[in-house]
Amino acid sequence: MPADVHHPRTVPYWLDSPSAPSPSEALVGQVNTDLAVVGGGFSGLWTALLAKEADPGRDVVVLESATIGSAASGRNGGFVAASLTHGLPNGAARWPHEIGALHRMGLANLDELEKSLAQHGIEASFERTGELTVATEEWQLDALLEVVELAAHHGIDAPLVLDAEQVRSRISSPRFLGGLLDLSTALVDPARLAWGLMAACRRMGVRVYEHSHVTGMSDEGATVLLRTRATGAEPGREGGAGDAPAVGGVSDVGGPDGGTAGSVRARSVALCTNAFPSLVRRVRPFVVPVYDYVLMTEPLRDAQRREIGWAGREGLADAGNLFHYSRLTDDGRILWGGYDAVYHYGNAIRPELDQRPATFALLREQLVDTFPALRDVAISHQWGGVIDTCTRFSPFWGTALAGKVAYVLGYTGLGVGASRFGAQVVLDLLAGADTERTRLSMVRRRPIPFPPEPVRSAAIALTRRSIARADARGGRRDAWLRTLDRLGLGFDS
């Protein structure tokens, strides 16, 4: 069907699958447990699974307000990066004395993640393809070489440098001028990964409750009480407001927002709520939700595939500050996303914001500009969703209620792999354990919070304009971006 009359499906491609499991029941009544995990995305599922692996006798409950993997975990590109710090430059700038250890831990985490999938029989199309970062402007070539020099300075294996001909022999585009090939990245079907982790959790004895929105949390001395209410089941797994959004509340933690359908009394609680408001109110200024948007093509024709190449199936990203990410699927489609991240005033998260026609049109134009062979390709799916971002572009952790509660937030779009490490840190913190992980400055320190509204929206809008201007001016950063750099606020991608 010609693209101009094609009507793409608005459900995320990964979640639009006949293999999607039926939703589990909502929590009704009261249950007691050793560990309650709030949020059924990657962080929550890894926390539950790793807790049971460490102690099979530990009772674990997972509470998800929609369905497992329905938020960021099922809507992303499926890039499983080894980096725990949102890339080497970001990590080296913030933790130069720890970057060697962080790099080593990231590589080990990727290896352990792959072993976990094999151990639990999780079929999620995991493949170690590597990631190719390409320069599409001359100034970006210098930026890529700086990454190689930075790796050498810290004694880290550098990505492979490819010239234009070498890049185009892998993935052919007239826009590609050179690139770096990082072999420490894998690709995965993210929804199947989430569903596989859920199934593994259940086999280990974890109780999973979907459509169970946590409305409040209170300190009960030796335990923590979580109050829940049942949410309506959406058709299939297409919707989903996300991983346990928390609203309302009193004091430092969220309180009740109406009638409850259930409650959980837990010895410890892991909060894995991603972009949605944390039950620990003091943490909320540290995270903002940003909408990311994605296109998925119909399966390519043989002629289109031959013209583009892509025999190595590498993950693909460009080196702009406002960047795209792209990949092939098992059935020969191209996913194309990124570039136009959008923040809405007041940290707004609403289902209707998942669709943004202007962004989809822009992405389509940029896709064809990159791959002219796709000028008549039809788009089968288009969707958006929120990711959590913080001012240091990488996860952060903390505890509350005298150490009975621990949380992880702020992955900024690079959490498919790092969420497993994040879950390990959460469990260390709940145990009060002194480990190499908990001794990291990255773990012990939090990012700078975002300012309140209306300053927040104005600052984010100004930053977006400045980043776009930098891309148009050969990478030159204006006074605003240089100020953010001096303050350690990042905003470089």
Side-chain angles (χ1 to χ4, degrees), residues 41-51 53-54 73 80-84 105-120 122 126 193 197 272 395 397 408 411 414-428 437:
F42 291 140
S43 289
L45 294 168
W46 280 119
T47 299
L49 184 61
L50 292 172
E53 287 181 343
S73 295
V80 191
S83 177
L84 305 174
M105 291 179 182
L107 293 174
N109 179 66
L110 181 61
D111 289 341
E112 291 162 5
L113 186 153
E114 183 176 14
K115 290 177 183 176
S116 290
L117 301 191
Q119 174 187 343
H120 292 282
I122 298 174
F126 182 94
L193 174 57
L197 288 172
C272 305
W397 294 262
V408 58
Y411 290 105
L414 212 65
V416 180
S419 55
R420 185 182 184 279
F421 177 85
Q424 289 176 312
V425 174
V426 164
L427 292 171
D428 286 348
R437 291 185 290 262

Side-chain angles (χ1 to χ4, degrees), residues 436-491:
E436 184 182 19
R437 291 185 290 262
T438 59
R439 289 192 293 270
L440 291 167
S441 294
M442 180 185 181
V443 171
R444 291 186 288 107
R445 298 175 183 171
R446 289 190 298 188
I448 297 172
F450 289 94
E453 294 289 16
V455 177
R456 177 179 301 177
S457 290
I460 292 173
L462 177 56
T463 302
R464 283 277 303 170
R465 288 194 296 270
S466 293
I467 289 174
R469 189 180 302 118
D471 278 342
R473 297 171 54 195
R476 294 190 298 277
R477 299 169 77 81
D478 62 15
W480 174 250
L481 292 180
R482 293 196 300 272
T483 298
L484 295 181
D485 292 339
R486 288 193 295 271
L487 294 174
L489 296 181
F491 295 105

Side-chain angles (χ1 to χ4, degrees), residues 59-402:
D59 189 68
V60 180
V61 167
V62 173
L63 300 169
E64 163 57 43
S65 70
T67 52
I68 295 297
S70 60
S73 295
R75 294 169 181 257
N76 62 82
F79 284 60
V80 191
S83 177
L84 305 174
T85 62
H86 209 281
L88 175 60
N90 188 57
R94 301 182 189 284
W95 306 286
H97 302 297
E98 291 183 347
I99 191 60
L102 288 165
H103 180 75
R104 169 177 51 80
M105 291 179 182
L107 293 174
N109 179 66
L110 181 61
D111 289 341
E112 291 162 5
L113 186 153
E114 183 176 14
K115 290 177 183 176
S116 290
L117 301 191
Q119 174 187 343
H120 292 282
I122 298 174
E123 297 291 340
S125 295
F126 182 94
E127 50 182 339
R128 286 190 179 244
T129 61
E131 180 179 356
L132 183 60
T133 303
V134 297
T136 58
E137 304 286 347
E138 290 290 342
W139 66 269
Q140 295 171 9
L141 293 171
D142 292 334
L144 293 180
L145 291 177
E146 290 173 3
V147 174
V148 175
E149 294 169 0
L150 185 63
H153 175 75
H154 289 283
I156 293 171
D157 290 339
L160 301 174
V161 180
L162 306 179
D163 61 24
E165 182 178 352
Q166 290 171 318
V167 168
R168 294 176 188 178
S169 70
R170 290 175 174 270
I171 309 175
S172 181
S173 167
R175 297 211 60 201
F176 296 169
L177 307 178
L180 297 181
L181 180 61
D182 181 358
L183 298 177
S184 63
T185 296
L187 295 179
V188 73
D189 180 320
R192 286 167 54 198
L193 174 57
W195 298 333
L197 288 172
M198 175 177 64
C201 284
R202 284 177 167 157
R203 288 193 296 270
M204 296 285 288
V206 175
R207 289 176 284 170
V208 178
Y209 296 99
E210 297 181 282
H211 296 298
S212 300
H213 172 57
V214 179
T215 63
M217 178 173 74
S218 58
D219 192 348
E220 302 289 315
T223 61
V224 177
L225 180 65
L226 299 172
R227 296 175 293 279
T228 72
R229 62 174 169 79
T231 60
E234 73 276 15
R237 289 178 175 259
E238 296 190 3
D243 297 56
V247 296
V250 295
S251 185
D252 184 53
V253 297
D257 65 349
T260 60
S263 62
V264 177
R265 193 176 297 275
R267 295 180 183 274
S268 58
V269 174
L271 299 180
C272 305
T273 54
N274 190 40
F276 299 93
S278 176
L279 285 161
V280 179
R281 296 176 67 91
R282 68 173 183 266
V283 176
R284 296 181 185 182
F286 292 89
V287 173
V288 298
V290 177
Y291 275 81
D292 184 42
Y293 295 94
V294 182
L295 300 179
M296 184 71 80
T297 72
E298 295 283 4
L300 302 191
R301 299 191 301 271
D302 290 343
Q304 292 169 322
R305 186 66 183 273
R306 284 194 299 271
E307 186 167 343
I308 293 173
W310 219 331
R313 299 181 56 80
E314 303 90 343
L316 176 67
D318 60 60
N321 291 307
L322 298 177
F323 65 93
H324 303 92
Y325 56 89
S326 186
R327 59 165 294 184
L328 290 171
T329 63
D330 289 349
D331 59 353
R333 303 167 190 262
I334 289 182
L335 176 145
W336 182 263
Y339 189 81
D340 199 15
V342 179
Y343 171 77
H344 296 277
Y345 186 90
N347 285 17
I349 301 175
R350 299 190 300 273
E352 63 267 26
L353 298 178
D354 291 349
Q355 294 294 307
R356 197 165 191 264
T359 293
F360 295 138
L362 176 64
L363 286 173
R364 172 60 191 249
E365 178 183 332
Q366 294 164 335
L367 170 64
V368 174
D369 183 54
T370 302
F371 298 117
L374 302 183
R375 57 190 171 273
D376 62 347
V377 74
I379 303 300
S380 66
H381 297 72
Q382 57 189 32
W383 72 91
V386 286
I387 60 173
D388 59 336
T389 189
C390 66
T391 55
R392 74 183 195 188
F393 273 42
S394 54
F396 66 95
W397 294 262
T399 61
L401 300 187

